[in-house]
Amino acid sequence: MIKSVVDTALYALLSAETNIVYHIPPYQREYSWSKDQWDALFDDLLEEDAGDGHFLGTIICVNATEEATSQTVLELVDGQQRMSTLSLLLLAIYRQLKARSDDFDEDQSADFVNLRKMLILGNPVRARIRLQKQNHNLNDYLVLLQQSGFEIDAEPTTYLGNRRIAKALSHFTYRISERLNDDPRPNLEVLFDLLGRAKQSILVKLEVANHSDAFVLFESLNNRGLPLTPIDLIKTSLLSVADKTSGTDVSSAYKEWSAWLESLGDDYGNQERFFRQFYNAFK
């Protein structure tokens, strides 16, 4: 079931020496963390002794690489909220450091280059974390990278600031500014200290052979962040079976699932009642 278990720091997961891209598949729910989760993450990083590494939980990956020479694609079955949020925190730190880059010493310049490579890969330029498309998540993130000076393709968008991805970046920018005002140390020292704390944060990466195994682990280990809804659990069960059934796959099963949701309308109560009955018949 499990191909590998690695207890590692964020800087290793996004190492500049690798070409790994973390892809969040379309069947994942949209980015849903908010101020409480953002503040908890930020405060936990500050409270941890520098260098110790704050434990952030588990991520579950399926290797979805098609062309290994260009990049290694790891599909995030679980952990997308944490990885997306950490990427937005790194981007907020990057923006603050970029504004002060004229004052870098040699070591700080090297750290800044490595931070850049934690956010993007080159030739062509692409994001290390590829968010799901729901509610403009992916394009909003690409636009924010573009606004930060990365030469990355993104579609023009409106109402960016009203959506959750941009709000997360704005909130981290605010918290960093607060930290700079409250800490008596030079700004660059404070920023690189925060960067070091984020890079040292620890995640356990579980890599499994297929989606079916991933969904089993997902149901048993998802006890951090926002609680799973009954519909989330039913969906993972159905997709797990689809992955093991001849003549279908996760992608086609998810398209059918999405069509059902559209037909049922936006009322969650109606959706849950239908899928509970469907799941009982399915079982």
Side-chain angles (χ1 to χ4, degrees), residues 19-262:
N19 65 345
I20 295 175
V21 171
Y22 293 89
H23 171 68
I24 301 170
Y27 57 78
Q28 293 278 21
R29 56 183 172 177
E30 67 184 63
Y31 183 70
S32 52
W33 274 21
S34 58
K35 183 178 181 297
D36 288 345
Q37 287 83 27
W38 302 331
D39 281 336
L41 172 64
F42 195 88
D43 292 338
D44 285 346
L45 292 178
L46 293 183
E47 290 171 3
E48 196 75 40
D49 290 337
D52 283 355
H54 176 63
F55 178 66
L56 291 175
T58 302
I59 63 173
I60 302 173
C61 304
V62 176
N63 195 317
T65 304
E66 294 182 356
E67 179 49 68
T69 57
S70 60
Q71 62 186 17
T72 298
V73 179
L74 295 182
E75 190 172 286
L76 275 173
V77 175
D78 188 32
Q80 60 119 336
Q81 302 288 338
R82 290 185 289 278
M83 291 295 286
S84 298
T85 303
L86 286 165
S87 185
L88 289 163
L89 173 59
L90 291 177
L91 182 57
I93 297 171
Y94 176 88
R95 287 183 165 197
Q96 293 281 351
L97 287 173
K98 185 180 179 183
R100 298 167 172 83
S101 58
D102 290 343
D103 299 324
F104 287 170
D105 60 29
E106 186 174 343
D107 289 339
Q108 291 170 339
S109 294
D111 286 342
F112 183 70
V113 170
N114 285 333
L115 170 58
R116 179 183 176 88
K117 292 178 179 178
M118 291 178 71
L119 290 165
I120 63 159
L121 288 175
N123 300 318
V125 177
R126 57 210 186 276
R128 298 293 298 268
I129 308 291
R130 188 167 183 83
L131 278 65
Q132 71 285 74
K133 295 181 180 180
Q134 289 94 315
N135 198 26
H136 306 278
N137 286 176
L138 174 58
N139 195 64
D140 285 354
Y141 181 61
L142 296 178
V143 168
L144 294 175
L145 287 173
Q146 193 178 71
Q147 291 177 352
S148 304
F150 295 104
E151 295 181 359
I152 199 165
D153 291 335
E155 296 293 329
T157 189
T158 56
Y159 307 112
L160 171 67
N162 294 332
R163 293 191 291 272
R164 203 174 294 266
I165 295 297
K167 285 182 177 180
L169 181 64
S170 295
H171 188 70
F172 283 134
T173 300
Y174 169 74
R175 290 298 310 270
I176 293 170
S177 297
E178 273 193 329
R179 181 70 174 171
L180 293 174
N181 290 331
D182 294 342
D183 197 308
R185 295 175 295 172
N187 282 355
L188 281 180
E189 184 177 345
V190 175
L191 288 169
F192 278 105
D193 174 68
L194 179 57
L195 173 60
R197 291 170 181 270
K199 289 169 62 176
Q200 291 291 340
S201 56
I202 302 296
L203 296 107
V204 175
K205 185 183 78 170
L206 291 167
E207 188 171 335
V208 296
N210 53 58
H211 289 89
S212 179
D213 291 344
F215 292 138
V216 171
L217 286 171
F218 173 72
E219 291 185 18
S220 62
L221 294 178
N222 196 290
N223 59 357
R224 296 174 63 90
L226 296 177
L228 293 174
T229 68
I231 288 183
D232 288 327
L233 293 170
I234 293 170
K235 179 178 68 175
T236 57
S237 295
L238 294 174
L239 295 180
S240 174
V241 172
D243 188 54
K244 295 184 289 187
T245 302
S246 176
T248 187
D249 55 31
V250 170
S251 179
S252 59
Y254 175 70
K255 289 179 181 178
E256 187 169 354
W257 170 273
S258 300
W260 290 343
L261 281 180
E262 185 176 351

